[in-house]
Every structure is written in C-alpha cells, then in structure tokens.
Amino acid sequence: VREVAPADIKLMPNPSKGSFTVDLGQVAPKANVEIWDVMGRRVLQKSSEGVQRIPVQTKLSPGVYLVKVQANGQSVTRRMIIE
C-alpha cells in the first residue's frame, strides 16, 4: 500500500453547487476533510475510514473556500469554489 500522494487528491466538481467529492486517488485507512472560509473559520469537518472517495454535502454561501485533506500522514489544501 503506497501513501496517498498530494497530487492524487482531487475535488470534483469544482466549481460546485455545494455537493462535491474528495477523491484521494486510492483507499486511505483514515482521512479527515476540513473546509475553511476566507476569514479562517472552519465551517465543516468530516472523517472517514477505509475509503477512496469522500462525499461532501454543504449548504455554504457562494464563495471561495479552502479544503484541507489529511490522509496517511499527508496534508494537502485545495481551493473550492461554491457557486
């Protein structure tokens, strides 16, 4: 089992209407997803185990958010646009 590589992590679709999927590129024993607004407030946190894809459902206001994904000791942050 290889480590989840930051380049493998994708957010789909992006931009989104509020529902999107975090694709880790492979199955991760544990994964944590956090969404932060531009003011630095965490607006969502979700944990999953033994999955490759994590579905995220939000009712966030339109704007730009940062999605921080932690899996297998790796951490990556991606920008998500909510329409």
Side-chain angles (χ1 to χ4, degrees):
V1 176
R2 70 179 182 85
E3 296 286 310
V4 172
D8 293 342
I9 297 173
K10 295 179 176 45
L11 307 178
M12 305 172 298
N14 189 5
S16 166
K17 300 284 187 201
S19 297
F20 61 95
T21 300
V22 177
D23 188 335
L24 302 172
Q26 68 174 32
V27 174
K30 287 186 176 184
N32 187 51
V33 176
E34 297 176 345
I35 301 177
W36 297 78
D37 68 13
V38 293
M39 301 301 289
R41 295 177 295 226
R42 186 172 62 195
V43 294
L44 182 137
Q45 180 175 356
K46 183 172 187 172
S47 297
S48 295
E49 293 185 12
V51 297
Q52 176 176 336
R53 292 182 183 90
I54 304 167
V56 178
Q57 305 280 330
T58 72
K59 295 189 186 301
L60 296 172
S61 300
V64 177
Y65 294 85
L66 296 177
V67 180
K68 182 177 180 182
V69 181
Q70 296 170 305
N72 291 352
Q74 300 284 328
S75 179
V76 66
T77 302
R78 298 271 189 261
R79 193 174 72 173
M80 168 58 70
I81 298 170
I82 301 293
E83 296 179 329

